[in-house]
C-alpha cells in the first residue's frame, strides 16, 4: 500500500507542477484508509475525504479569525467571502466524490476543478487592496495542492 501511495504521488508530482511529492506522500502516509489502498481509485476516495476535512478545517480557522473584534472592515469582508468560498468548495468536493463513486468521471473532474477556485479567489481578495496580507496563504496553498492531487489521481484511474 505504501507503494501505491508512493507510485501515485510520484506520477502526480511529475505530471503537475502544483503537486509536491513530499506533500503528497505526507498527506496520505498517516491515514489508515490510505495505508490499505490497493489501487489509485482507493486513494482518490481518501484524497476526496482529506480535501473535505481540510475545507472544513479552514472554515473553522476563518471563523476563529472572524472572532477578532479588532479586525478592520476590509479584512472582515475578505474573510467572510473566503468562508462562503470554502463552504461552496466543500459542496463541490462532496458532489465530485459522489460522481466519482458513480464512475461519472467528467462530472467528478468538473466539481473538483470548481472547488479549486476557492483558495485562489480567497487569496486574491487580500491582494486587491495594498498592504493586506492573507492570513490563510498556507491553508489556501495546501488546499489547492490537495485538490490538484485529487484531480491527478482521478486521471490515473483506469477507465
Amino acid at each position: 500500500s505504501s507503494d501505491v501511495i508512493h507510485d501515485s504521488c510520484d506520477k502526480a508530482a511529475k505530471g503537475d507542477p502544483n503537486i509536491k511529492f513530499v506533500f503528497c506522500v505526507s498527506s496520505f502516509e498517516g491515514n489508515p484508509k490510505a495505508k490499505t489502498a490497493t489501487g489509485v481509485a482507493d486513494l482518490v476516495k481518501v484524497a476526496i475525504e482529506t480535501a473535505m476535512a481540510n475545507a472544513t478545517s479552514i472554515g473553522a480557522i476563518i471563523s476563529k479569525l472572524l472572532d477578532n473584534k479588532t479586525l478592520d472592515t476590509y479584512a472582515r469582508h475578505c474573510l467572510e467571502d473566503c468562508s462562503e468560498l470554502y463552504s461552496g468548495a466543500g459542496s463541490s468536493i462532496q458532489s465530485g466524490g459522489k460522481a466519482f463513486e458513480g464512475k461519472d468521471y467528467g462530472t467528478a473532474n468538473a466539481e473538483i476543478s470548481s472547488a479549486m477556485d476557492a483558495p485562489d479567489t480567497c487569496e486574491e481578495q487580500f491582494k486587491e487592496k495594498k498592504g493586506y496580507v492573507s492570513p490563510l496563504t498556507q491553508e489556501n496553498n495546501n488546499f489547492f495542492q490537495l485538490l490538484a492531487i485529487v484531480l491527478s489521481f482521478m486521471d490515473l484511474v483506469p477507465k
Side-chain angles (χ1 to χ4, degrees), residues 79-124:
L79 287 169
E80 286 168 351
D81 282 355
C82 290
S83 179
E84 279 183 43
L85 288 163
Y86 273 98
S87 176
S91 298
S92 294
I93 295 166
Q94 217 165 13
S95 300
K98 285 187 178 126
F100 180 79
E101 283 179 28
K103 296 193 184 336
D104 180 357
Y105 301 123
T107 300
N109 197 304
E111 290 289 343
I112 300 300
S113 294
S114 78
M116 289 179 102
D117 292 341
D120 276 349
T121 306
C122 176
E123 197 63 28
E124 286 305 311

Side-chain angles (χ1 to χ4, degrees), residues 48-69:
I48 287 171
E49 287 174 16
T50 302
M52 267 304 296
N54 194 254
T56 303
S57 165
I58 293 169
I61 291 167
I62 293 169
S63 292
K64 210 175 203 72
L65 290 168
L66 285 168
D67 284 344
N68 180 350
K69 302 293 178 231

Side-chain angles (χ1 to χ4, degrees), residues 14-27:
K14 284 179 178 161
D16 186 338
N18 293 307
I19 300 172
K20 306 291 176 261
F21 175 77
V22 172
F23 177 89
C24 182
V25 170
S26 66
S27 296

